[in-house]
Amino acid sequence: MRRLIGTVLAILGILALSACAGLPVSGPVTAGRPVDEVRTGPEVRFFPDGPQPGATQEEIVEGFLLAGSGSSADWATARSFLAPAIQSSWDPSAGVAVVPTGEIVAQPAVDDTVKVILAPVASVDATGRYEPALGGTATLGFELIEVAGQWRISKAPDGIVLDESVFGTVFHRYSVMYFDTSWTYLVPDERWFPTTSAAVRITGALVDEQPSDWLAGAVSTAFTDDVTSVYSSVPQSAGTAQVELSAEALALQQLTIDRMATQLEASLATAGITEVELTVDGVPIAATPVQTRSTAVTGGPLVLTDEGFGFLSGSELTPIGGLSGAVVRSNPVAVQVGPDQESAAVRSADGSVARADVTDDVVVLDTRSGLRDPVIDARGYVWSIPARSPAALTAFGPGIESPLLSQSWAAAGATDVQAMSISRDGTRMAGVVRIGDRTELWLSGVIRDESDNRGVPARLGEPIVAGTIAGEAVSMVWTDDVTVAVVTRSGTETEIVEQVVGGTSSTIAGPAGASITTVATATSSIRLRSDDGGLYVRRGANWLQTAEGISLLAVQQGTPQQ
């Protein structure tokens, strides 16, 4: 149980020479290009060359792999490199191996067999789930025969290989939307699909498939097992998509149908579709999307200064009534405020973890040694963990202590938790952990007991590896529903890693000459606090210092409902 992701095929041998063989998912982790959450601009399509007359066996194999960039007409160009016997059975949707630029080079043919050695940086499986690779190489094997005097491939692995420079154009990232287990928030499950079939793939993933394994138990869906999508297309007109469902949908309660419409509309919106119409046998079903709570953070920075604790606007500090005084009295070095601004998780100067409440109370929850900065979730539970005891994560609520929630992290080999952060919808826990000689960013679903509607944390699900981290993590935060920002320090250098959950990562330098201690979310960017009390916000590619004398920068887990 070393890990659940990235190691299934971590070190691949020679793939079997059969049409059902898979593509590799191993190779070093590298930072990818940032990918916009929603891409609705003009599509860019590749039209690779087909096989050329007289091409050698090696050229045919290289041409076939390069033709993976041409998704039009179900990869018709790539199929033209195949012998007639396997043209229809070869399955390009089986997966994607993403490789460094220029790596697709065939070795000389031996006995009509050509091999290609790859070191992928990532992979996408048949369901669209993105996985970073964690090392190793893989060998693809192809057999060729002559067809009408020209070489063609007679045996090839399913799936395609894409140069990382074109991957983000052929495939885009889309959000398949689920609910949290209280049916309050929408939770994105990020998938990568070809742009030429995005609406169909998103619909199929939501209606006919299950959430990603690591989210099982942490999210809910309104789509029941007996309701399926009927057609292999999603007709669109003027931004409205028509989704045909099986007749079983007619027997569902109206609330369930409304929630289904909510999930579909939010999911397809990431593909530029503005409205969804549900139908059965071509007849529209009445459905009204339900209201969901936003996870957006609005307003100014929440800080501690010599004047107290509150929202900073220019030189004015506005306290949170009843809560700010409790935060100040807790003698804090780290604070995270809940979405309703009625309570906060605090790590005090003496190392203990406490809850500060809007009633002006401060309750010490955890006095274990070596505690990391705590977090507070959407239900008001405070989570605390000792750095050297990954299995000892504990959640505290009124009269509730749920210990040993992260046994799965310990079982997967984590020895140190450098930082943790919970998503604002309360469904996903991110942690920077030490495992062997490597530091990794892990993600787990948060499994709750909903039997009494309190959402008591029960355990963390099995972790997946979102990426690797260079240096030591000193702070981390969810910047939106799909991105985690981690401040890392190596010597005097400070960097910020922005990791898309189920996607690529990017690394940016911190403000010149500033050593960063805390990262928090801004309205449309991130904020940083430096060791010397400077407050910075990112504006485009630059950092702007907006204040000084900041003793503490708090993390906000949302905004109160209006």
PDB file of all heavy atoms in Angstrom, residues 166-195:
ATOM      1  N   VAL A 166       1.747  19.872 -26.672  1.00  0.00           N
ATOM      2  CA  VAL A 166       0.457  19.897 -27.357  1.00  0.00           C
ATOM      3  C   VAL A 166      -0.666  19.300 -26.513  1.00  0.00           C
ATOM      4  O   VAL A 166      -1.841  19.432 -26.860  1.00  0.00           O
ATOM      5  CB  VAL A 166       0.514  19.160 -28.722  1.00  0.00           C
ATOM      6  CG1 VAL A 166       1.594  19.743 -29.600  1.00  0.00           C
ATOM      7  CG2 VAL A 166       0.734  17.666 -28.533  1.00  0.00           C
ATOM      8  N   PHE A 167      -0.318  18.667 -25.417  1.00  0.00           N
ATOM      9  CA  PHE A 167      -1.330  17.999 -24.601  1.00  0.00           C
ATOM     10  C   PHE A 167      -2.447  18.939 -24.196  1.00  0.00           C
ATOM     11  O   PHE A 167      -3.636  18.632 -24.310  1.00  0.00           O
ATOM     12  CB  PHE A 167      -0.676  17.373 -23.364  1.00  0.00           C
ATOM     13  CG  PHE A 167      -1.672  16.884 -22.335  1.00  0.00           C
ATOM     14  CD1 PHE A 167      -2.480  15.800 -22.600  1.00  0.00           C
ATOM     15  CD2 PHE A 167      -1.798  17.527 -21.114  1.00  0.00           C
ATOM     16  CE1 PHE A 167      -3.412  15.347 -21.662  1.00  0.00           C
ATOM     17  CE2 PHE A 167      -2.716  17.092 -20.174  1.00  0.00           C
ATOM     18  CZ  PHE A 167      -3.522  15.993 -20.454  1.00  0.00           C
ATOM     19  N   GLY A 168      -2.086  20.138 -23.703  1.00  0.00           N
ATOM     20  CA  GLY A 168      -3.078  21.086 -23.220  1.00  0.00           C
ATOM     21  C   GLY A 168      -3.931  21.715 -24.301  1.00  0.00           C
ATOM     22  O   GLY A 168      -4.877  22.451 -24.002  1.00  0.00           O
ATOM     23  N   THR A 169      -3.614  21.421 -25.559  1.00  0.00           N
ATOM     24  CA  THR A 169      -4.446  21.891 -26.661  1.00  0.00           C
ATOM     25  C   THR A 169      -5.396  20.809 -27.124  1.00  0.00           C
ATOM     26  O   THR A 169      -6.574  21.066 -27.390  1.00  0.00           O
ATOM     27  CB  THR A 169      -3.568  22.348 -27.843  1.00  0.00           C
ATOM     28  OG1 THR A 169      -2.697  23.388 -27.407  1.00  0.00           O
ATOM     29  CG2 THR A 169      -4.414  22.851 -28.996  1.00  0.00           C
ATOM     30  N   VAL A 170      -4.908  19.585 -27.224  1.00  0.00           N
ATOM     31  CA  VAL A 170      -5.741  18.463 -27.647  1.00  0.00           C
ATOM     32  C   VAL A 170      -6.730  18.094 -26.553  1.00  0.00           C
ATOM     33  O   VAL A 170      -7.897  17.780 -26.810  1.00  0.00           O
ATOM     34  CB  VAL A 170      -4.872  17.245 -28.020  1.00  0.00           C
ATOM     35  CG1 VAL A 170      -5.743  16.068 -28.477  1.00  0.00           C
ATOM     36  CG2 VAL A 170      -3.874  17.608 -29.110  1.00  0.00           C
ATOM     37  N   PHE A 171      -6.268  18.117 -25.293  1.00  0.00           N
ATOM     38  CA  PHE A 171      -7.103  17.820 -24.134  1.00  0.00           C
ATOM     39  C   PHE A 171      -7.227  19.083 -23.288  1.00  0.00           C
ATOM     40  O   PHE A 171      -6.251  19.802 -23.100  1.00  0.00           O
ATOM     41  CB  PHE A 171      -6.480  16.708 -23.278  1.00  0.00           C
ATOM     42  CG  PHE A 171      -6.698  15.321 -23.796  1.00  0.00           C
ATOM     43  CD1 PHE A 171      -6.109  14.897 -24.974  1.00  0.00           C
ATOM     44  CD2 PHE A 171      -7.501  14.420 -23.098  1.00  0.00           C
ATOM     45  CE1 PHE A 171      -6.313  13.624 -25.465  1.00  0.00           C
ATOM     46  CE2 PHE A 171      -7.712  13.133 -23.585  1.00  0.00           C
ATOM     47  CZ  PHE A 171      -7.117  12.732 -24.772  1.00  0.00           C
ATOM     48  N   HIS A 172      -8.428  19.329 -22.782  1.00  0.00           N
ATOM     49  CA  HIS A 172      -8.643  20.396 -21.814  1.00  0.00           C
ATOM     50  C   HIS A 172      -9.136  19.802 -20.505  1.00  0.00           C
ATOM     51  O   HIS A 172      -9.625  18.668 -20.465  1.00  0.00           O
ATOM     52  CB  HIS A 172      -9.683  21.406 -22.329  1.00  0.00           C
ATOM     53  CG  HIS A 172      -9.149  22.319 -23.396  1.00  0.00           C
ATOM     54  ND1 HIS A 172      -9.919  23.298 -23.982  1.00  0.00           N
ATOM     55  CD2 HIS A 172      -7.933  22.403 -24.001  1.00  0.00           C
ATOM     56  CE1 HIS A 172      -9.206  23.951 -24.891  1.00  0.00           C
ATOM     57  NE2 HIS A 172      -8.003  23.416 -24.916  1.00  0.00           N
ATOM     58  N   ARG A 173      -9.008  20.599 -19.463  1.00  0.00           N
ATOM     59  CA  ARG A 173      -9.462  20.172 -18.138  1.00  0.00           C
ATOM     60  C   ARG A 173     -10.886  20.650 -17.907  1.00  0.00           C
ATOM     61  O   ARG A 173     -11.199  21.826 -18.098  1.00  0.00           O
ATOM     62  CB  ARG A 173      -8.518  20.729 -17.072  1.00  0.00           C
ATOM     63  CG  ARG A 173      -8.912  20.397 -15.650  1.00  0.00           C
ATOM     64  CD  ARG A 173      -7.782  20.765 -14.688  1.00  0.00           C
ATOM     65  NE  ARG A 173      -7.391  22.148 -14.791  1.00  0.00           N
ATOM     66  CZ  ARG A 173      -7.975  23.146 -14.138  1.00  0.00           C
ATOM     67  NH1 ARG A 173      -9.013  22.905 -13.357  1.00  0.00           N
ATOM     68  NH2 ARG A 173      -7.537  24.382 -14.269  1.00  0.00           N
ATOM     69  N   TYR A 174     -11.733  19.734 -17.467  1.00  0.00           N
ATOM     70  CA  TYR A 174     -13.132  20.040 -17.210  1.00  0.00           C
ATOM     71  C   TYR A 174     -13.509  19.543 -15.814  1.00  0.00           C
ATOM     72  O   TYR A 174     -12.900  18.606 -15.300  1.00  0.00           O
ATOM     73  CB  TYR A 174     -14.041  19.384 -18.250  1.00  0.00           C
ATOM     74  CG  TYR A 174     -13.699  19.770 -19.673  1.00  0.00           C
ATOM     75  CD1 TYR A 174     -12.869  18.959 -20.454  1.00  0.00           C
ATOM     76  CD2 TYR A 174     -14.189  20.942 -20.233  1.00  0.00           C
ATOM     77  CE1 TYR A 174     -12.545  19.308 -21.760  1.00  0.00           C
ATOM     78  CE2 TYR A 174     -13.868  21.301 -21.536  1.00  0.00           C
ATOM     79  CZ  TYR A 174     -13.039  20.483 -22.298  1.00  0.00           C
ATOM     80  OH  TYR A 174     -12.716  20.843 -23.587  1.00  0.00           O
ATOM     81  N   SER A 175     -14.526  20.166 -15.229  1.00  0.00           N
ATOM     82  CA  SER A 175     -14.969  19.791 -13.891  1.00  0.00           C
ATOM     83  C   SER A 175     -16.259  18.982 -13.972  1.00  0.00           C
ATOM     84  O   SER A 175     -17.262  19.475 -14.486  1.00  0.00           O
ATOM     85  CB  SER A 175     -15.208  21.040 -13.031  1.00  0.00           C
ATOM     86  OG  SER A 175     -14.016  21.768 -12.845  1.00  0.00           O
ATOM     87  N   VAL A 176     -16.205  17.746 -13.475  1.00  0.00           N
ATOM     88  CA  VAL A 176     -17.403  16.934 -13.311  1.00  0.00           C
ATOM     89  C   VAL A 176     -17.890  17.201 -11.890  1.00  0.00           C
ATOM     90  O   VAL A 176     -17.189  16.914 -10.920  1.00  0.00           O
ATOM     91  CB  VAL A 176     -17.114  15.444 -13.536  1.00  0.00           C
ATOM     92  CG1 VAL A 176     -18.366  14.605 -13.314  1.00  0.00           C
ATOM     93  CG2 VAL A 176     -16.561  15.230 -14.945  1.00  0.00           C
ATOM     94  N   MET A 177     -19.099  17.752 -11.759  1.00  0.00           N
ATOM     95  CA  MET A 177     -19.544  18.297 -10.482  1.00  0.00           C
ATOM     96  C   MET A 177     -20.397  17.307  -9.672  1.00  0.00           C
ATOM     97  O   MET A 177     -21.353  16.728 -10.184  1.00  0.00           O
ATOM     98  CB  MET A 177     -20.350  19.568 -10.708  1.00  0.00           C
ATOM     99  CG  MET A 177     -19.531  20.728 -11.238  1.00  0.00           C
ATOM    100  SD  MET A 177     -18.305  21.302 -10.041  1.00  0.00           S
ATOM    101  CE  MET A 177     -17.854  22.881 -10.782  1.00  0.00           C
ATOM    102  N   TYR A 178     -20.036  17.198  -8.395  1.00  0.00           N
ATOM    103  CA  TYR A 178     -20.803  16.423  -7.428  1.00  0.00           C
ATOM    104  C   TYR A 178     -21.205  17.342  -6.282  1.00  0.00           C
ATOM    105  O   TYR A 178     -20.793  18.506  -6.219  1.00  0.00           O
ATOM    106  CB  TYR A 178     -19.975  15.237  -6.916  1.00  0.00           C
ATOM    107  CG  TYR A 178     -19.622  14.270  -8.016  1.00  0.00           C
ATOM    108  CD1 TYR A 178     -18.408  14.374  -8.700  1.00  0.00           C
ATOM    109  CD2 TYR A 178     -20.500  13.261  -8.379  1.00  0.00           C
ATOM    110  CE1 TYR A 178     -18.090  13.495  -9.729  1.00  0.00           C
ATOM    111  CE2 TYR A 178     -20.192  12.381  -9.403  1.00  0.00           C
ATOM    112  CZ  TYR A 178     -18.982  12.510 -10.078  1.00  0.00           C
ATOM    113  OH  TYR A 178     -18.684  11.638 -11.106  1.00  0.00           O
ATOM    114  N   PHE A 179     -22.018  16.834  -5.381  1.00  0.00           N
ATOM    115  CA  PHE A 179     -22.354  17.553  -4.154  1.00  0.00           C
ATOM    116  C   PHE A 179     -21.491  17.044  -3.008  1.00  0.00           C
ATOM    117  O   PHE A 179     -21.009  15.903  -3.035  1.00  0.00           O
ATOM    118  CB  PHE A 179     -23.823  17.331  -3.784  1.00  0.00           C
ATOM    119  CG  PHE A 179     -24.804  18.141  -4.585  1.00  0.00           C
ATOM    120  CD1 PHE A 179     -25.417  17.605  -5.707  1.00  0.00           C
ATOM    121  CD2 PHE A 179     -25.117  19.441  -4.208  1.00  0.00           C
ATOM    122  CE1 PHE A 179     -26.338  18.341  -6.443  1.00  0.00           C
ATOM    123  CE2 PHE A 179     -26.040  20.189  -4.934  1.00  0.00           C
ATOM    124  CZ  PHE A 179     -26.644  19.645  -6.056  1.00  0.00           C
ATOM    125  N   ASP A 180     -21.306  17.886  -1.997  1.00  0.00           N
ATOM    126  CA  ASP A 180     -20.787  17.355  -0.745  1.00  0.00           C
ATOM    127  C   ASP A 180     -21.900  16.540  -0.087  1.00  0.00           C
ATOM    128  O   ASP A 180     -23.042  16.532  -0.562  1.00  0.00           O
ATOM    129  CB  ASP A 180     -20.302  18.486   0.172  1.00  0.00           C
ATOM    130  CG  ASP A 180     -21.452  19.246   0.807  1.00  0.00           C
ATOM    131  OD1 ASP A 180     -22.358  19.689   0.070  1.00  0.00           O
ATOM    132  OD2 ASP A 180     -21.453  19.392   2.039  1.00  0.00           O
ATOM    133  N   THR A 181     -21.595  15.829   0.974  1.00  0.00           N
ATOM    134  CA  THR A 181     -22.572  14.909   1.549  1.00  0.00           C
ATOM    135  C   THR A 181     -23.714  15.613   2.274  1.00  0.00           C
ATOM    136  O   THR A 181     -24.700  14.971   2.649  1.00  0.00           O
ATOM    137  CB  THR A 181     -21.888  13.917   2.506  1.00  0.00           C
ATOM    138  OG1 THR A 181     -21.116  14.646   3.471  1.00  0.00           O
ATOM    139  CG2 THR A 181     -20.977  12.974   1.730  1.00  0.00           C
ATOM    140  N   SER A 182     -23.629  16.937   2.459  1.00  0.00           N
ATOM    141  CA  SER A 182     -24.750  17.682   3.041  1.00  0.00           C
ATOM    142  C   SER A 182     -25.608  18.335   1.962  1.00  0.00           C
ATOM    143  O   SER A 182     -26.573  19.029   2.280  1.00  0.00           O
ATOM    144  CB  SER A 182     -24.231  18.768   3.997  1.00  0.00           C
ATOM    145  OG  SER A 182     -23.617  19.827   3.272  1.00  0.00           O
ATOM    146  N   TRP A 183     -25.258  18.137   0.690  1.00  0.00           N
ATOM    147  CA  TRP A 183     -25.977  18.712  -0.446  1.00  0.00           C
ATOM    148  C   TRP A 183     -25.975  20.240  -0.401  1.00  0.00           C
ATOM    149  O   TRP A 183     -26.911  20.893  -0.855  1.00  0.00           O
ATOM    150  CB  TRP A 183     -27.413  18.189  -0.520  1.00  0.00           C
ATOM    151  CG  TRP A 183     -27.509  16.700  -0.597  1.00  0.00           C
ATOM    152  CD1 TRP A 183     -27.694  15.840   0.445  1.00  0.00           C
ATOM    153  CD2 TRP A 183     -27.398  15.887  -1.773  1.00  0.00           C
ATOM    154  NE1 TRP A 183     -27.712  14.537  -0.005  1.00  0.00           N
ATOM    155  CE2 TRP A 183     -27.545  14.535  -1.362  1.00  0.00           C
ATOM    156  CE3 TRP A 183     -27.222  16.157  -3.129  1.00  0.00           C
ATOM    157  CZ2 TRP A 183     -27.489  13.473  -2.268  1.00  0.00           C
ATOM    158  CZ3 TRP A 183     -27.177  15.097  -4.030  1.00  0.00           C
ATOM    159  CH2 TRP A 183     -27.309  13.778  -3.597  1.00  0.00           C
ATOM    160  N   THR A 184     -24.885  20.809   0.115  1.00  0.00           N
ATOM    161  CA  THR A 184     -24.773  22.257   0.243  1.00  0.00           C
ATOM    162  C   THR A 184     -23.866  22.862  -0.818  1.00  0.00           C
ATOM    163  O   THR A 184     -24.172  23.911  -1.382  1.00  0.00           O
ATOM    164  CB  THR A 184     -24.228  22.622   1.637  1.00  0.00           C
ATOM    165  OG1 THR A 184     -25.079  22.086   2.639  1.00  0.00           O
ATOM    166  CG2 THR A 184     -24.106  24.131   1.810  1.00  0.00           C
ATOM    167  N   TYR A 185     -22.740  22.206  -1.069  1.00  0.00           N
ATOM    168  CA  TYR A 185     -21.734  22.716  -1.989  1.00  0.00           C
ATOM    169  C   TYR A 185     -21.633  21.820  -3.228  1.00  0.00           C
ATOM    170  O   TYR A 185     -21.913  20.615  -3.162  1.00  0.00           O
ATOM    171  CB  TYR A 185     -20.350  22.741  -1.326  1.00  0.00           C
ATOM    172  CG  TYR A 185     -20.206  23.661  -0.142  1.00  0.00           C
ATOM    173  CD1 TYR A 185     -20.413  23.193   1.152  1.00  0.00           C
ATOM    174  CD2 TYR A 185     -19.823  24.983  -0.312  1.00  0.00           C
ATOM    175  CE1 TYR A 185     -20.250  24.032   2.252  1.00  0.00           C
ATOM    176  CE2 TYR A 185     -19.660  25.834   0.782  1.00  0.00           C
ATOM    177  CZ  TYR A 185     -19.881  25.346   2.057  1.00  0.00           C
ATOM    178  OH  TYR A 185     -19.717  26.178   3.138  1.00  0.00           O
ATOM    179  N   LEU A 186     -21.183  22.396  -4.326  1.00  0.00           N
ATOM    180  CA  LEU A 186     -20.773  21.621  -5.487  1.00  0.00           C
ATOM    181  C   LEU A 186     -19.277  21.374  -5.403  1.00  0.00           C
ATOM    182  O   LEU A 186     -18.502  22.279  -5.065  1.00  0.00           O
ATOM    183  CB  LEU A 186     -21.106  22.357  -6.782  1.00  0.00           C
ATOM    184  CG  LEU A 186     -22.579  22.335  -7.200  1.00  0.00           C
ATOM    185  CD1 LEU A 186     -22.791  23.223  -8.413  1.00  0.00           C
ATOM    186  CD2 LEU A 186     -23.053  20.913  -7.493  1.00  0.00           C
ATOM    187  N   VAL A 187     -18.886  20.147  -5.714  1.00  0.00           N
ATOM    188  CA  VAL A 187     -17.485  19.731  -5.579  1.00  0.00           C
ATOM    189  C   VAL A 187     -16.976  19.259  -6.936  1.00  0.00           C
ATOM    190  O   VAL A 187     -17.541  18.335  -7.528  1.00  0.00           O
ATOM    191  CB  VAL A 187     -17.348  18.595  -4.554  1.00  0.00           C
ATOM    192  CG1 VAL A 187     -15.879  18.208  -4.383  1.00  0.00           C
ATOM    193  CG2 VAL A 187     -17.965  18.991  -3.219  1.00  0.00           C
ATOM    194  N   PRO A 188     -15.907  19.860  -7.456  1.00  0.00           N
ATOM    195  CA  PRO A 188     -15.404  19.459  -8.766  1.00  0.00           C
ATOM    196  C   PRO A 188     -14.500  18.226  -8.706  1.00  0.00           C
ATOM    197  O   PRO A 188     -13.679  18.086  -7.810  1.00  0.00           O
ATOM    198  CB  PRO A 188     -14.610  20.686  -9.223  1.00  0.00           C
ATOM    199  CG  PRO A 188     -14.150  21.316  -7.951  1.00  0.00           C
ATOM    200  CD  PRO A 188     -15.216  21.052  -6.925  1.00  0.00           C
ATOM    201  N   ASP A 189     -14.694  17.334  -9.655  1.00  0.00           N
ATOM    202  CA  ASP A 189     -13.819  16.186  -9.880  1.00  0.00           C
ATOM    203  C   ASP A 189     -13.185  16.435 -11.247  1.00  0.00           C
ATOM    204  O   ASP A 189     -13.827  16.282 -12.281  1.00  0.00           O
ATOM    205  CB  ASP A 189     -14.649  14.897  -9.868  1.00  0.00           C
ATOM    206  CG  ASP A 189     -13.790  13.647  -9.976  1.00  0.00           C
ATOM    207  OD1 ASP A 189     -12.552  13.755 -10.085  1.00  0.00           O
ATOM    208  OD2 ASP A 189     -14.368  12.537  -9.980  1.00  0.00           O
ATOM    209  N   GLU A 190     -11.919  16.831 -11.260  1.00  0.00           N
ATOM    210  CA  GLU A 190     -11.292  17.291 -12.496  1.00  0.00           C
ATOM    211  C   GLU A 190     -10.974  16.135 -13.444  1.00  0.00           C
ATOM    212  O   GLU A 190     -10.394  15.129 -13.042  1.00  0.00           O
ATOM    213  CB  GLU A 190     -10.021  18.072 -12.191  1.00  0.00           C
ATOM    214  CG  GLU A 190     -10.258  19.338 -11.377  1.00  0.00           C
ATOM    215  CD  GLU A 190     -11.203  20.295 -12.060  1.00  0.00           C
ATOM    216  OE1 GLU A 190     -10.746  21.102 -12.894  1.00  0.00           O
ATOM    217  OE2 GLU A 190     -12.412  20.254 -11.761  1.00  0.00           O
ATOM    218  N   ARG A 191     -11.341  16.305 -14.704  1.00  0.00           N
ATOM    219  CA  ARG A 191     -11.073  15.309 -15.745  1.00  0.00           C
ATOM    220  C   ARG A 191     -10.507  16.018 -16.978  1.00  0.00           C
ATOM    221  O   ARG A 191     -10.780  17.194 -17.222  1.00  0.00           O
ATOM    222  CB  ARG A 191     -12.347  14.558 -16.149  1.00  0.00           C
ATOM    223  CG  ARG A 191     -13.153  13.990 -14.992  1.00  0.00           C
ATOM    224  CD  ARG A 191     -12.481  12.814 -14.321  1.00  0.00           C
ATOM    225  NE  ARG A 191     -13.334  12.293 -13.259  1.00  0.00           N
ATOM    226  CZ  ARG A 191     -14.222  11.314 -13.415  1.00  0.00           C
ATOM    227  NH1 ARG A 191     -14.380  10.744 -14.601  1.00  0.00           N
ATOM    228  NH2 ARG A 191     -14.962  10.903 -12.395  1.00  0.00           N
ATOM    229  N   TRP A 192      -9.760  15.256 -17.767  1.00  0.00           N
ATOM    230  CA  TRP A 192      -9.186  15.755 -19.013  1.00  0.00           C
ATOM    231  C   TRP A 192      -9.808  14.992 -20.169  1.00  0.00           C
ATOM    232  O   TRP A 192      -9.708  13.763 -20.237  1.00  0.00           O
ATOM    233  CB  TRP A 192      -7.670  15.580 -19.014  1.00  0.00           C
ATOM    234  CG  TRP A 192      -6.965  16.462 -18.023  1.00  0.00           C
ATOM    235  CD1 TRP A 192      -6.868  16.269 -16.681  1.00  0.00           C
ATOM    236  CD2 TRP A 192      -6.272  17.673 -18.299  1.00  0.00           C
ATOM    237  NE1 TRP A 192      -6.161  17.289 -16.097  1.00  0.00           N
ATOM    238  CE2 TRP A 192      -5.770  18.156 -17.069  1.00  0.00           C
ATOM    239  CE3 TRP A 192      -6.009  18.391 -19.469  1.00  0.00           C
ATOM    240  CZ2 TRP A 192      -5.033  19.328 -16.982  1.00  0.00           C
ATOM    241  CZ3 TRP A 192      -5.262  19.561 -19.376  1.00  0.00           C
ATOM    242  CH2 TRP A 192      -4.792  20.023 -18.147  1.00  0.00           C
ATOM    243  N   PHE A 193     -10.452  15.725 -21.076  1.00  0.00           N
ATOM    244  CA  PHE A 193     -11.106  15.113 -22.226  1.00  0.00           C
ATOM    245  C   PHE A 193     -10.674  15.817 -23.509  1.00  0.00           C
ATOM    246  O   PHE A 193     -10.313  17.008 -23.485  1.00  0.00           O
ATOM    247  CB  PHE A 193     -12.627  15.230 -22.097  1.00  0.00           C
ATOM    248  CG  PHE A 193     -13.209  14.506 -20.918  1.00  0.00           C
ATOM    249  CD1 PHE A 193     -14.119  15.139 -20.079  1.00  0.00           C
ATOM    250  CD2 PHE A 193     -12.864  13.183 -20.637  1.00  0.00           C
ATOM    251  CE1 PHE A 193     -14.682  14.480 -18.998  1.00  0.00           C
ATOM    252  CE2 PHE A 193     -13.405  12.518 -19.546  1.00  0.00           C
ATOM    253  CZ  PHE A 193     -14.311  13.168 -18.732  1.00  0.00           C
ATOM    254  N   PRO A 194     -10.743  15.103 -24.633  1.00  0.00           N
ATOM    255  CA  PRO A 194     -10.476  15.766 -25.916  1.00  0.00           C
ATOM    256  C   PRO A 194     -11.482  16.882 -26.154  1.00  0.00           C
ATOM    257  O   PRO A 194     -12.674  16.734 -25.857  1.00  0.00           O
ATOM    258  CB  PRO A 194     -10.645  14.641 -26.950  1.00  0.00           C
ATOM    259  CG  PRO A 194     -10.511  13.369 -26.179  1.00  0.00           C
ATOM    260  CD  PRO A 194     -11.038  13.666 -24.806  1.00  0.00           C
ATOM    261  N   THR A 195     -11.024  17.988 -26.679  1.00  0.00           N
ATOM    262  CA  THR A 195     -11.925  19.113 -26.907  1.00  0.00           C
ATOM    263  C   THR A 195     -13.007  18.771 -27.925  1.00  0.00           C
ATOM    264  O   THR A 195     -14.085  19.377 -27.920  1.00  0.00           O
ATOM    265  CB  THR A 195     -11.143  20.337 -27.399  1.00  0.00           C
ATOM    266  OG1 THR A 195     -10.471  20.013 -28.630  1.00  0.00           O
ATOM    267  CG2 THR A 195     -10.112  20.763 -26.365  1.00  0.00           C
TER     268      THR A 195
END
